Amino acid sequence: MEASERSLPCFLLHGVSAGVHLILALAVAGSRLFPRRGKDTVSTVGGVRCYVVATCTMWALAAFQLLLAAYSCYLGAGAGWTLHAAVEQVDAAARGVAWLLLAAYLQFEFRRDERFPAPLRLWWALFLLLSVLAVAVHAATSLDGLPVPARSWALDAVSVLAAVVLLVAGLFGKSELAGGSASEEPLLDGASESSSACASAYAGAGLLGVLTFSWMGPLLAVGHKKALGLDDVPGLDPGDSVAGLLPSFKANLATVAGDGTTSQRVTAFKLAKVLVRTFRWHVAVTALYALVYNVATYVGPYLIDSLVQYLNGGDERRPSKGQLLVLAFIAAKVFECLSQQHSCFRLQQVGIRARSALVAVVYEKGLALSGRSRQAHSSGEMVNIVGVDADRVGNSSWYIHDLWLVPLQVGMAMFVLYSTLGLASLAALGATAAVMLVNVPSVKVQEKVQQNLMRSKDVRMKATSEILRNMRILKLQGWEMKFLSKIIALRKTETNWLKKYLYTSTMITFIFWSAPTFIAVVTFGACVLMGIPLESGKVLSALATLRVSSRRTLCRGCQSAARMLQSRSAMGASPGTPRLKCQRSRTSTFKLVFQARRGMRVAVCGTVGSGKSSLLSCILGEVPKLSGVVRTCGTIAYVSQSAWIQSGKVQENILFGKEMDSEKYDRVLELCSLKKDLESFPSGDQTVIGERGINLSGGQKQRVQIARALYQDADIYLFDDPFSAVDAHTGSHIFKECLLGALVQKTVVYVTHQLEFLPAADLILVIKDGVIAQSGSYNEILGSGEEFMELVGAHQDALAAIDAIEVPNGASEAFSSSGAASLSGSLPSAEKKDKQNVKQDDGHGQSGQLVQEEERERGRVGFWVYWKYLTLAYGGALVPFVLLAQMLFEVLHIASNYWMAWAAPASKDVEPPVSMYTLIYVYVALALGSSVCTFVRALFLVPAAYKTATLLFNKMHVSIFRAPMSFFDSTPSGRILNRASTDQSLVDTSIANRMGSIAFAFIQLGGTVVVMSQVAWQVFVVFIPVIAICLWYQRYYIDTARELQRMVGICKAPIIQHFVESITGSTIIRSFGKENQFLATNNQLMDAYSRPKFYNAGAMEWLCFRMDMLSSLTFAISLIFLINLPTGIIDPGIAGLVVTYGLNLNIMQVTLVTSMCNLENKIISVERILQYLSLPEEAPLSISEDGLAHNWPSEGEIQLHNLHVKYAPQLPFVLKGLTVTFPGGMKTGIVGRTGSGKSTLIQALFRIMDPTVGQIIVDGVDICTIGLHDLRSRLSIIPQDPTMFDGTVRHNLDPLGEYTDNQIWEALDHCQLGDEVRRKELKLDSPVLENGENWSVGQRQLVCLGRVILRRTKILVLDEATASVDTATDNLIQKTLQQHFSGATVITIAHRITSVLHSDIVLLLDNGVAVEHQTPARLLEDKSSLFSKLVAEYTMRSTRT
């Protein structure tokens, strides 16, 4: 064929095909594309049948290509060579050689027990794309009236058929390998045994099921019949599980870091590179899908001009041409549908995998964080990384191809425009570039705003996490509203950035919607100026092209860059600079301890802040050394000073991952005195412990910790003063039975403030100022230095207080089991009844548990949720304006397109109804009007979204902070944090846009239907039933998708909960060597989260595929109707306009339905927040009518009348009929076994929980009749768990800012911390880290003492206030309290007997009942009294020193 007769597309097609096949031939010949595998990597093949089919097909294709090349050469030699003919001949030769080499490779080099390589399958897919593209080019050439040789059609037919066969063979080969991408297959061998592989609905699907997403059918059917549970959701393919992803991700992360480790900072770019390398197979496949999709979308705009000319037809109107046009339109739509849905699904799969891998790596880093790194990365920041940032990185998978798709789309758009408008397309290119350049500043601003928004969110989440962790102390002190105002202030900073983010997004959206109109105006204006005739076919083709390009190209490149930059780098866990400086000589002393024989007991003592806990941290490797070596031989068990308890069953906490050994387990319970406690629990050792052991007493938490350590049967035991939290009898029992009994053959290092435990040690280390001041046995160091003698002297002073009370002779009888029996025998019948109630509760499953499963709504999201969201801001007044602006935009937009279609002539021969300038002026006016409407719509939408998000946040947090303490006891913080981070983030940035998109899609779809009805009203016969089917599909789908989305929200909370819990207890986890166990648990939680998310994505694409097909059917019928109308019945321009809108019918219909489904999925976040708006409230903070005197309580008398208290309605009573009076101005000591109800009594006094029965009267006022803050502000407490907050020393002592610096310094001096703070550079402004981690536990308790000294109230409660300090400091504290609270009512709870001996009255509790209530002297006179026996036991134990 002569060059003048050949089309440019055919020439380009042959050139590209020749180049690709030449590259393939060179690659195969050089054996570089398909390297052979080693024998050790050989795995089971996808089947001999697939191999035989593929091999035969390739030989047949190679033979056909060679014959065709010879035939083309023969024709060319006879007719002469032109440029086009030469290119076609080169193409034919390259095809023949490439397929011959490839067939030979598959026949002779490829082993049948190997998998088809990923590049081979990718080439087959690319070959199918080239073949289909060739068919499209040849069809377009034929439509243009140019002949296409028969051999070209034959080549097309054979190529398409062969490509389909090869691709099917490749897919079946893959599916028989149990899933996973080819590039990842070697990594999945270890995970192939996962039970989820067999249960994965996707992995076992056939080709047809994969193409049509029919593998989702069974799950959708189940979801339609009933509300889905997590057990109904199939498992994941091994390639989607964390176990299958993590090895490859970590290997790539280490490679990208540059030195084989991941300790270097990973930037956003490096992270993107790691993700692309890890999921390269999915990236390649989705790239192919994206290429097909984008080519298919431009077929319609390219053919519109031909369709208009056909309808304008005359002699050229041939039926075959019309049928070919319809076939091309429909084929393009089918390819567009298939490629789009599979691309979306695969990209979502990549996002899910990316999130799983990132969370797993961040969790692993979090477990390994050094001390300094933990200071740099707060728990709130890490929660944000897991809860928000990982989602953002996963969502960025949608934009991974934009870097090359944007130029491709621009190029295709310019090709279509050039073919219709000629050189005017250059104006369109310039306008496009101008739009993108204008958008760049907005995107840069948005990027900066986004970074600041995330930083402010990190700060807020850090504060929220800390507050939730310490909510009990805040309520005890009456500070919760002050800290709420802090959260609101942080949120205000965040919302300032949020507002800027929303407005910059609005600017980008405005440019996005206005860009097609602006480019069209420039392009058509250029046509007028250049004298290029504007025919209706060309105009409509240009408009359709600009609509497609704007939707996929304009602004998207800039938006995707901003989205990608939202993802933040993974954290490094590099060792921090040590805060503890260890001397070389002292380190050698530590070394001697661990080179001693097994069974040595080493005691560590010293004053508060001397470095005792830091010594254990050095042994554990938690504090970096400057010099010296610490060696440990064998496994280590560590019991921390502040108890770390996991959320879960008591038994799980004790076993800690070990197998159950009943005999050993019972022995451990007995050693730790836990059997009696478990008997009182609702479900025994199956009782679920709340977060941080909230439903256990301090002593019970420590004994569970000790039981956990004992059950591990380690070689080395480290105890960090666990005896301070238990009573004297229990402490003696544990020390005797555990340290001197069960652990007699073990190496034990124990820190203690109780000197009575020192003589039993083989070696005693006295720590002072971070160094070992003395070491040796008890007798060796007793008189060898001042440090130890100071501690002994203070201890003897405390014992002298007992002698001053004149303990009667014979009272040294041990507090034996008979004493305990008499104590339990004195319980009233109320306890026995309560125990019976407990046993009855056991039969009700979870009814007796404190922590219940998270509440989950079922069924459709109620209309009230939508209505509440719409009307929350300004009563919904802005909503009508948003809808009106959108409707005006659509009307003006349709009017502008209608004007161009009517005013432009159908051909050169037709006289235009108006001049070209009038055409442009009117179009510009309509375009400007539509752009203004877009801007107005956005201006109304942003304030509504911002106001609604702010109101929901404020209302939810007020509701949370006003909730009773029982809510926090029974609700893991992960659930609250999930709402405050993930759900709130969706409300901030997504819900309003999703709700708006439904209205916009509905209005656009209505406009499209109106336009189509102008010509083809008969299409309603099909359109109405299609819409009905679509709505039925949508309802069928949403039943499953809604529950899956709810499960996504519910499954996310345990991840955050486990993450926060693990970070808090990372030292203990590492000391026990349980990192792998916790990593496995995190992986299981991540997989449980990914399951509903994965199948939710599959369900969405199942729906979209069917929506697309139905819409394509409607469009096809419309086309068939149009081409069969006689000439002249309709205006060709209007008919072209109908086709232009019909091209987007499927997109609009799918957008509407999917937007509705997406909104119903995402509105669940609003539903979850609204759940927390209706939490039960505590009593009012203040009651104006209570009439309290300003000096109340003036006497401080406390009366308890028949007091019954329980933690929750489903739990048993903790206090049972307590009737006691605490005289005003006197000091009362409360003693009793751990779990006896001492701390519960204090909580009832502060109304943390209101009495179920009975009254508490203070100075004649029933405390239940006054406001909570009126009560709590008049009381003071030093709690059992000392708490410090992130901030400064001043802020920790005076959070409300009520006192002067002089008063604060005075309080510090009185609590023995003045000198310590003065040594710090910033004095009162010295920083305090989160949870006070840069202060010892003892120092934290002294800070709590300083707070009460500042307040100086009439009633003071000390709840184990001196448990973590040494005896000398305890004595100083007691003197300070006597000095400053001489006339106050002081209630002291203490396990250290000397702390209560100075009391005027002693109350002894057991199982919530007052057993003894008398003065210490009177009780000591009675040798049968339980208090006397308790003192005798303490005296006997202490006199050993």
mmCIF file of all heavy atoms in Angstrom, residues 190 220 226 320 336 463 539 552 698 724 749 776 788 863 886 913 1004 1083 1110 1168 1190 1232 1307 1336-1337 1374:
data_model
loop_
_atom_site.group_PDB
_atom_site.id
_atom_site.type_symbol
_atom_site.label_atom_id
_atom_site.label_comp_id
_atom_site.label_asym_id
_atom_site.label_seq_id
_atom_site.Cartn_x
_atom_site.Cartn_y
_atom_site.Cartn_z
ATOM 1 N N GLY A 190 7.114 -20.525 53.423
ATOM 2 C CA GLY A 190 6.956 -20.723 54.849
ATOM 3 C C GLY A 190 5.560 -20.462 55.326
ATOM 4 O O GLY A 190 5.132 -20.977 56.348
ATOM 5 N N LEU A 220 -21.378 -12.594 50.080
ATOM 6 C CA LEU A 220 -22.489 -11.651 49.933
ATOM 7 C C LEU A 220 -23.822 -12.316 50.227
ATOM 8 O O LEU A 220 -24.723 -11.699 50.808
ATOM 9 C CB LEU A 220 -22.493 -11.064 48.524
ATOM 10 C CG LEU A 220 -21.336 -10.102 48.210
ATOM 11 C CD1 LEU A 220 -21.222 -9.887 46.710
ATOM 12 C CD2 LEU A 220 -21.543 -8.764 48.906
ATOM 13 N N LYS A 226 -27.998 -12.683 56.987
ATOM 14 C CA LYS A 226 -27.830 -12.385 58.416
ATOM 15 C C LYS A 226 -26.721 -11.361 58.586
ATOM 16 O O LYS A 226 -25.961 -11.079 57.647
ATOM 17 C CB LYS A 226 -27.482 -13.660 59.188
ATOM 18 C CG LYS A 226 -26.113 -14.240 58.813
ATOM 19 C CD LYS A 226 -25.672 -15.323 59.783
ATOM 20 C CE LYS A 226 -24.217 -15.728 59.548
ATOM 21 N NZ LYS A 226 -23.720 -16.676 60.536
ATOM 22 N N SER A 320 -22.844 -1.018 7.558
ATOM 23 C CA SER A 320 -21.688 -1.714 8.141
ATOM 24 C C SER A 320 -20.816 -0.752 8.944
ATOM 25 O O SER A 320 -20.259 -1.125 9.986
ATOM 26 C CB SER A 320 -20.861 -2.363 7.030
ATOM 27 O OG SER A 320 -20.408 -1.373 6.110
ATOM 28 N N GLU A 336 -12.772 -0.935 29.244
ATOM 29 C CA GLU A 336 -12.674 0.092 30.282
ATOM 30 C C GLU A 336 -13.206 -0.428 31.615
ATOM 31 O O GLU A 336 -12.592 -0.232 32.675
ATOM 32 C CB GLU A 336 -13.464 1.325 29.846
ATOM 33 C CG GLU A 336 -13.462 2.460 30.861
ATOM 34 C CD GLU A 336 -14.365 3.605 30.441
ATOM 35 O OE1 GLU A 336 -14.634 3.735 29.217
ATOM 36 O OE2 GLU A 336 -14.802 4.363 31.319
ATOM 37 N N ALA A 463 -1.382 13.696 74.187
ATOM 38 C CA ALA A 463 -2.042 14.187 75.407
ATOM 39 C C ALA A 463 -3.271 13.345 75.729
ATOM 40 O O ALA A 463 -3.517 13.004 76.897
ATOM 41 C CB ALA A 463 -2.426 15.655 75.231
ATOM 42 N N VAL A 539 -16.240 19.598 17.757
ATOM 43 C CA VAL A 539 -16.449 20.260 19.050
ATOM 44 C C VAL A 539 -16.795 19.230 20.129
ATOM 45 O O VAL A 539 -16.247 19.252 21.237
ATOM 46 C CB VAL A 539 -17.559 21.329 18.931
ATOM 47 C CG1 VAL A 539 -18.000 21.791 20.319
ATOM 48 C CG2 VAL A 539 -17.074 22.498 18.109
ATOM 49 N N ARG A 552 -9.008 12.586 34.631
ATOM 50 C CA ARG A 552 -7.913 11.683 34.928
ATOM 51 C C ARG A 552 -6.545 12.353 34.975
ATOM 52 O O ARG A 552 -5.589 11.776 35.456
ATOM 53 C CB ARG A 552 -7.856 10.571 33.874
ATOM 54 C CG ARG A 552 -9.010 9.611 34.000
ATOM 55 C CD ARG A 552 -9.088 8.683 32.803
ATOM 56 N NE ARG A 552 -10.099 7.676 33.013
ATOM 57 C CZ ARG A 552 -11.400 7.891 32.916
ATOM 58 N NH1 ARG A 552 -11.834 9.076 32.603
ATOM 59 N NH2 ARG A 552 -12.276 6.927 33.133
ATOM 60 N N GLY A 698 -3.569 -3.008 93.821
ATOM 61 C CA GLY A 698 -2.133 -2.893 93.579
ATOM 62 C C GLY A 698 -1.388 -4.151 93.976
ATOM 63 O O GLY A 698 -0.491 -4.621 93.265
ATOM 64 N N SER A 724 6.602 -3.857 98.120
ATOM 65 C CA SER A 724 6.038 -2.619 98.670
ATOM 66 C C SER A 724 4.551 -2.518 98.405
ATOM 67 O O SER A 724 3.845 -1.771 99.093
ATOM 68 C CB SER A 724 6.753 -1.409 98.061
ATOM 69 O OG SER A 724 6.559 -1.371 96.655
ATOM 70 N N VAL A 749 18.108 -11.229 91.945
ATOM 71 C CA VAL A 749 18.503 -9.870 92.303
ATOM 72 C C VAL A 749 17.222 -9.130 92.658
ATOM 73 O O VAL A 749 16.313 -9.039 91.831
ATOM 74 C CB VAL A 749 19.224 -9.152 91.145
ATOM 75 C CG1 VAL A 749 19.620 -7.740 91.564
ATOM 76 C CG2 VAL A 749 20.440 -9.941 90.704
ATOM 77 N N GLY A 776 28.564 -6.349 99.967
ATOM 78 C CA GLY A 776 28.983 -7.428 100.846
ATOM 79 C C GLY A 776 27.778 -8.062 101.498
ATOM 80 O O GLY A 776 26.624 -7.713 101.200
ATOM 81 N N PHE A 788 24.638 2.610 104.491
ATOM 82 C CA PHE A 788 23.775 1.530 104.959
ATOM 83 C C PHE A 788 23.289 1.804 106.378
ATOM 84 O O PHE A 788 22.152 1.491 106.733
ATOM 85 C CB PHE A 788 24.529 0.197 104.886
ATOM 86 C CG PHE A 788 23.659 -0.990 105.198
ATOM 87 C CD1 PHE A 788 22.599 -1.321 104.371
ATOM 88 C CD2 PHE A 788 23.897 -1.775 106.310
ATOM 89 C CE1 PHE A 788 21.792 -2.417 104.647
ATOM 90 C CE2 PHE A 788 23.097 -2.870 106.597
ATOM 91 C CZ PHE A 788 22.043 -3.187 105.759
ATOM 92 N N PHE A 863 -31.316 6.384 59.674
ATOM 93 C CA PHE A 863 -31.431 7.686 59.012
ATOM 94 C C PHE A 863 -31.071 8.821 59.966
ATOM 95 O O PHE A 863 -30.575 9.873 59.543
ATOM 96 C CB PHE A 863 -32.864 7.868 58.491
ATOM 97 C CG PHE A 863 -33.122 9.231 57.907
ATOM 98 C CD1 PHE A 863 -32.630 9.563 56.652
ATOM 99 C CD2 PHE A 863 -33.829 10.195 58.620
ATOM 100 C CE1 PHE A 863 -32.855 10.816 56.114
ATOM 101 C CE2 PHE A 863 -34.054 11.454 58.091
ATOM 102 C CZ PHE A 863 -33.569 11.764 56.830
ATOM 103 N N GLN A 886 -24.836 23.397 43.193
ATOM 104 C CA GLN A 886 -24.500 22.276 42.334
ATOM 105 C C GLN A 886 -25.505 22.140 41.190
ATOM 106 O O GLN A 886 -25.121 21.863 40.047
ATOM 107 C CB GLN A 886 -24.453 20.985 43.153
ATOM 108 C CG GLN A 886 -24.133 19.740 42.335
ATOM 109 C CD GLN A 886 -22.758 19.781 41.704
ATOM 110 O OE1 GLN A 886 -21.859 20.451 42.215
ATOM 111 N NE2 GLN A 886 -22.574 19.086 40.591
ATOM 112 N N PRO A 913 -25.761 28.675 12.528
ATOM 113 C CA PRO A 913 -26.880 29.547 12.947
ATOM 114 C C PRO A 913 -26.414 30.862 13.554
ATOM 115 O O PRO A 913 -27.158 31.836 13.544
ATOM 116 C CB PRO A 913 -27.626 28.693 13.976
ATOM 117 C CG PRO A 913 -26.624 27.695 14.445
ATOM 118 C CD PRO A 913 -25.700 27.441 13.300
ATOM 119 N N GLN A 1004 -25.734 15.106 38.516
ATOM 120 C CA GLN A 1004 -25.097 14.866 37.216
ATOM 121 C C GLN A 1004 -25.816 13.765 36.448
ATOM 122 O O GLN A 1004 -26.024 13.875 35.238
ATOM 123 C CB GLN A 1004 -23.627 14.499 37.415
ATOM 124 C CG GLN A 1004 -22.732 15.685 37.698
ATOM 125 C CD GLN A 1004 -21.272 15.278 37.735
ATOM 126 O OE1 GLN A 1004 -20.892 14.337 38.423
ATOM 127 N NE2 GLN A 1004 -20.456 15.979 36.996
ATOM 128 N N ASN A 1083 0.629 -9.611 64.460
ATOM 129 C CA ASN A 1083 0.362 -10.073 63.096
ATOM 130 C C ASN A 1083 -1.037 -10.667 62.978
ATOM 131 O O ASN A 1083 -1.740 -10.453 61.979
ATOM 132 C CB ASN A 1083 1.409 -11.100 62.675
ATOM 133 C CG ASN A 1083 2.795 -10.492 62.544
ATOM 134 O OD1 ASN A 1083 2.959 -9.269 62.606
ATOM 135 N ND2 ASN A 1083 3.806 -11.329 62.381
ATOM 136 N N LEU A 1110 -24.205 -3.043 33.362
ATOM 137 C CA LEU A 1110 -25.578 -2.602 33.114
ATOM 138 C C LEU A 1110 -25.609 -1.232 32.439
ATOM 139 O O LEU A 1110 -26.426 -0.986 31.537
ATOM 140 C CB LEU A 1110 -26.350 -2.568 34.435
ATOM 141 C CG LEU A 1110 -26.677 -3.941 35.039
ATOM 142 C CD1 LEU A 1110 -27.204 -3.789 36.460
ATOM 143 C CD2 LEU A 1110 -27.687 -4.692 34.173
ATOM 144 N N ARG A 1168 -20.210 5.746 65.254
ATOM 145 C CA ARG A 1168 -19.392 5.352 66.408
ATOM 146 C C ARG A 1168 -19.134 6.546 67.330
ATOM 147 O O ARG A 1168 -19.107 6.420 68.548
ATOM 148 C CB ARG A 1168 -18.073 4.748 65.921
ATOM 149 C CG ARG A 1168 -18.229 3.339 65.377
ATOM 150 C CD ARG A 1168 -17.061 2.941 64.470
ATOM 151 N NE ARG A 1168 -15.768 3.116 65.097
ATOM 152 C CZ ARG A 1168 -15.220 2.255 65.953
ATOM 153 N NH1 ARG A 1168 -15.870 1.150 66.274
ATOM 154 N NH2 ARG A 1168 -14.032 2.474 66.482
ATOM 155 N N HIS A 1190 -17.992 27.972 102.654
ATOM 156 C CA HIS A 1190 -16.726 28.100 101.942
ATOM 157 C C HIS A 1190 -15.606 27.320 102.638
ATOM 158 O O HIS A 1190 -14.619 26.933 102.007
ATOM 159 C CB HIS A 1190 -16.342 29.571 101.817
ATOM 160 C CG HIS A 1190 -15.904 30.186 103.111
ATOM 161 N ND1 HIS A 1190 -16.815 30.630 104.058
ATOM 162 C CD2 HIS A 1190 -14.657 30.396 103.645
ATOM 163 C CE1 HIS A 1190 -16.147 31.105 105.104
ATOM 164 N NE2 HIS A 1190 -14.843 30.981 104.875
ATOM 165 N N GLY A 1232 -5.103 -4.144 105.939
ATOM 166 C CA GLY A 1232 -5.820 -5.320 105.476
ATOM 167 C C GLY A 1232 -5.088 -5.976 104.342
ATOM 168 O O GLY A 1232 -4.177 -5.403 103.734
ATOM 169 N N ALA A 1307 6.772 23.752 98.901
ATOM 170 C CA ALA A 1307 6.219 22.399 98.868
ATOM 171 C C ALA A 1307 7.280 21.387 98.449
ATOM 172 O O ALA A 1307 7.354 20.281 99.006
ATOM 173 C CB ALA A 1307 5.034 22.346 97.911
ATOM 174 N N SER A 1336 12.205 8.639 89.040
ATOM 175 C CA SER A 1336 11.988 7.324 89.632
ATOM 176 C C SER A 1336 10.586 7.246 90.222
ATOM 177 O O SER A 1336 9.922 8.269 90.437
ATOM 178 C CB SER A 1336 13.023 7.049 90.724
ATOM 179 O OG SER A 1336 12.765 7.847 91.876
ATOM 180 N N VAL A 1337 10.129 6.024 90.505
ATOM 181 C CA VAL A 1337 8.790 5.849 91.064
ATOM 182 C C VAL A 1337 8.694 6.534 92.424
ATOM 183 O O VAL A 1337 7.689 7.169 92.761
ATOM 184 C CB VAL A 1337 8.454 4.345 91.187
ATOM 185 C CG1 VAL A 1337 7.095 4.154 91.853
ATOM 186 C CG2 VAL A 1337 8.460 3.702 89.804
ATOM 187 N N GLN A 1374 6.429 11.311 107.086
ATOM 188 C CA GLN A 1374 5.495 11.267 108.211
ATOM 189 C C GLN A 1374 5.622 12.523 109.085
ATOM 190 O O GLN A 1374 4.615 13.095 109.520
ATOM 191 C CB GLN A 1374 5.732 10.004 109.038
ATOM 192 C CG GLN A 1374 5.485 8.692 108.312
ATOM 193 C CD GLN A 1374 4.067 8.555 107.807
ATOM 194 O OE1 GLN A 1374 3.138 9.126 108.375
ATOM 195 N NE2 GLN A 1374 3.903 7.817 106.717
#
